Amino acid sequence: MAAAAAGWAVSGSGRWPALARCCWRAEMVAYFSAPAASNREAKQREDSSRRRGRTSQLIRSHIPPRTERMAVDQDWSSVYPTAAAFNPSSVPLPIRMGYPVKGGVPPAKEGNLELIKIPNFLHLTPPAIKKHCAALRDFCTEWPSALDSDEKCEQHFPIEIETVDYVSAGTSIRNPKARIVTLRVKLSNLNLDDHAKKKLIKLVGARYCKDTDVLTIIIDRCPLRRQNYDYGIHLLTVLYHESWKTEAWESEKTEEDMEEYIWENSSSQRNALATLLQIKATENVSNVTKEELLASEVVRNYRNSVIALKNEGETASNMSQYKESVKKLLNIQALP
Amino acid sequence: PATSAVSISDEPEILYRRLSLLVKGHDKAVLDSYEYFAVLAAKELGITVEKVHRPPKNIERLTLLKSVHIYKKHRVQYEMRTHYTCLELKHLTGSTAAVYLEYVERNLPEGVAMEVKKTKIEKIPEHIQEPVWDTLPQVEETEVKS
């Protein structure tokens, strides 16, 4: 029996693998007429003659599965060291999977295609993961302990470069979205003065967020990620230096171009001063100069309230502040 | 024995403020197992896991004609469900990130895709520290050629 079994095994892998596969799940049939001769060639010729018609004779006797010989405390990571398909005779678990027959149970693990199809994690049990990580720990480095909070990272390393890697199965491992690079920097960390900051904000337009003071540049101009990163740094350098330059035509900046409201030399200042001078003239007070009026407290209050209204918008507190300052300016305390 | 394979180079270490792994798959059970594996691997390698969240699934449905020819009233409907899991890790160095990502990407199950978003932090380069106009020699203004 042993010789026959060995002969069958040899023929199964060598000469007639297809036949071996189709006879794999056949029922157990006693092999009666085993020739005593140990000649391999003669036996195979006899086997082929007998296998005509796909009869299920000549099947080796059923060997018990490996699971029955497994100890409970064996090293599982040597049974499944790498990702492998589910083999019911190698996994000593009574798993059932699939849709149950009416009034029945899900099918058993022997010959269950559903168990073979689904990816299994038998090679990644917690002890196996711990073993892998113990071996990998030598290649890891520590994060510097001085940079434990986000604020410290921001302070020492202001620029953030964001890149995305894509992993998927397909005909190609490349993904065209992988070349995109996003550069983020807070303008408060750059060495800019007032004029440079305003000019930079005007140059970049929508890429600057006023609430968080973050400039975001998304670069996907070049085909490679490193080229995009270099271009991003180049862009930042050019923007920085251009914003420090003052061109000749910048002196023609009008009131509409201003980012925030400036009270000096505005119509509001002119109107207020004109009104005050007229009041003083009717009261026949001696000529009060403009600088004295500007420096007086009522005009200061009025100036602050107007600036607050224009820059921050209309809020209840702003409006009440404006009302109070106008009342003080025109000296009309009677009104509520 | 293992330490002899480790070589330390003089290049400064890259610092990643955040590493965001978005894993996409059709089967939620596979994604849950993978998330357990990735979280355990991160803990073992000493990486802080900021948060693990599961964005809502996305179902794409198609309605097609059931028959090859005519029978417009009889259709068949297919749907493709994509489940997501997002793992956010904080404060990694370049070598740790390389080791972790290689380990985790090699053990990605079949049929599951992953997007890794790396946020690297850097110092401001020297050429942006000071405007260069102060240091350049004074050049005569040339006429702008129109």
Side-chain angles (χ1 to χ4, degrees), chain A residues 118-121 123-124 126 128-130 132-133 136-144 147-150 153-154 156-168 177 184 189-191 225 229 233 236-237 240-242 244-245, chain B residues 2-3 5-6 13 15-18 27 30 33-34 36-37 40-41 44-45 90-96 99 101 103 105 107-110 112-125 127-133:
Chain A
I118 196 80
N120 62 55
F121 283 77
H123 58 293
L124 291 174
I129 301 173
K130 293 197 170 87
H132 297 156
C133 290
L136 289 173
R137 212 168 293 152
D138 295 328
F139 297 93
C140 297
T141 50
E142 284 268 318
W143 178 259
L147 292 172
D148 42 356
S149 73
D150 273 345
C153 291
E154 186 74 53
H156 295 286
F157 298 92
I159 298 190
E160 276 180 23
I161 313 276
E162 201 173 278
T163 48
V164 191
D165 291 331
Y166 298 88
V167 182
S168 66
K177 291 199 283 190
R184 270 202 296 266
N189 295 326
L190 290 175
N191 183 12
R225 188 188 287 167
Y229 167 72
I233 297 291
L236 192 63
T237 316
Y240 178 78
H241 289 142
E242 282 298 311
W244 272 99
K245 265 204 273 188
Chain B
T3 44
V6 183
E13 191 77 68
L15 297 168
Y16 290 108
R17 210 187 85 191
R18 187 186 287 137
D27 196 336
V30 170
S33 300
Y34 186 74
Y36 178 85
F37 152 70
L40 185 60
E44 288 293 312
L45 288 175
K90 215 162 75 138
H91 292 338
L92 287 126
T93 54
S95 6
T96 311
V99 164
L101 282 176
Y103 181 49
E105 283 173 13
N107 288 314
L108 202 65
E110 40 280 347
V112 167
M114 188 155 88
E115 285 174 17
V116 180
K117 206 183 266 198
K118 302 180 191 160
T119 310
K120 185 168 79 160
I121 50 177
E122 277 187 359
K123 285 199 189 298
I124 301 188
H127 39 272
I128 310 186
Q129 301 278 7
E130 291 288 329
V132 82
W133 313 120

Side-chain angles (χ1 to χ4, degrees), chain A residues 180-336:
Chain A
I180 299 174
V181 172
T182 305
L183 199 140
R184 270 202 296 266
V185 68
K186 273 211 174 137
L187 288 191
S188 47
N189 295 326
L190 290 175
N191 183 12
L192 293 166
D193 70 352
D194 194 41
H195 157 262
K197 185 166 177 180
K198 289 195 180 138
K199 185 164 172 185
L200 188 79
I201 294 172
K202 271 207 193 293
L203 280 173
V204 299
R207 294 177 190 85
Y208 174 73
C209 172
K210 219 165 47 166
D211 303 321
T212 56
D213 189 34
V214 165
L215 168 66
T216 310
I217 310 180
I218 302 175
I219 311 127
D220 61 346
R221 193 178 267 235
C222 310
L224 293 186
R225 188 188 287 167
R226 197 180 300 188
Q227 294 173 344
N228 279 322
Y229 167 72
D230 290 337
Y231 179 69
I233 297 291
H234 161 76
L235 250 189
L236 192 63
T237 316
V238 164
L239 278 170
Y240 178 78
H241 289 142
E242 282 298 311
S243 62
W244 272 99
K245 265 204 273 188
T246 310
E247 303 280 339
W249 42 262
E250 279 186 44
S251 55
E252 295 161 20
K253 192 173 178 188
T254 59
E255 209 176 294
E256 288 94 22
D257 298 325
M258 301 285 183
E259 295 85 9
E260 53 181 15
Y261 184 73
I262 303 175
W263 194 71
E264 283 74 23
N265 296 334
S266 74
S267 54
S268 170
Q269 183 196 27
R270 273 180 267 125
N271 287 343
L273 280 176
T275 316
L276 278 177
L277 281 172
Q278 261 194 328
I279 294 173
K280 298 281 189 244
T282 52
E283 287 173 4
N284 288 336
V285 177
S286 57
N287 261 358
V288 195
T289 52
K290 267 197 182 165
E291 286 72 20
E292 271 184 37
L293 277 176
L294 276 176
S296 65
E297 208 199 297
V298 285
V299 177
R300 291 269 117 201
N301 274 345
Y302 179 69
R303 170 187 176 272
N304 290 340
S305 58
V306 168
I307 288 178
L309 264 181
K310 291 268 184 177
N311 283 342
E312 291 158 30
E314 290 180 11
T315 61
S317 58
N318 279 355
M319 290 302 279
S320 61
Q321 196 186 358
Y322 180 70
K323 185 175 86 171
E324 295 303 316
S325 61
V326 167
K327 277 189 346 193
K328 283 206 195 98
L329 191 74
L330 302 177
N331 222 350
I332 33 176
Q333 303 296 333
L335 290 172

Side-chain angles (χ1 to χ4, degrees), chain A residues 245-248, chain B residues 138-144:
Chain A
K245 265 204 273 188
T246 310
E247 303 280 339
Chain B
Q138 290 296 325
V139 181
E140 284 297 314
E141 281 253 338
T142 51
E143 284 296 312
V144 173

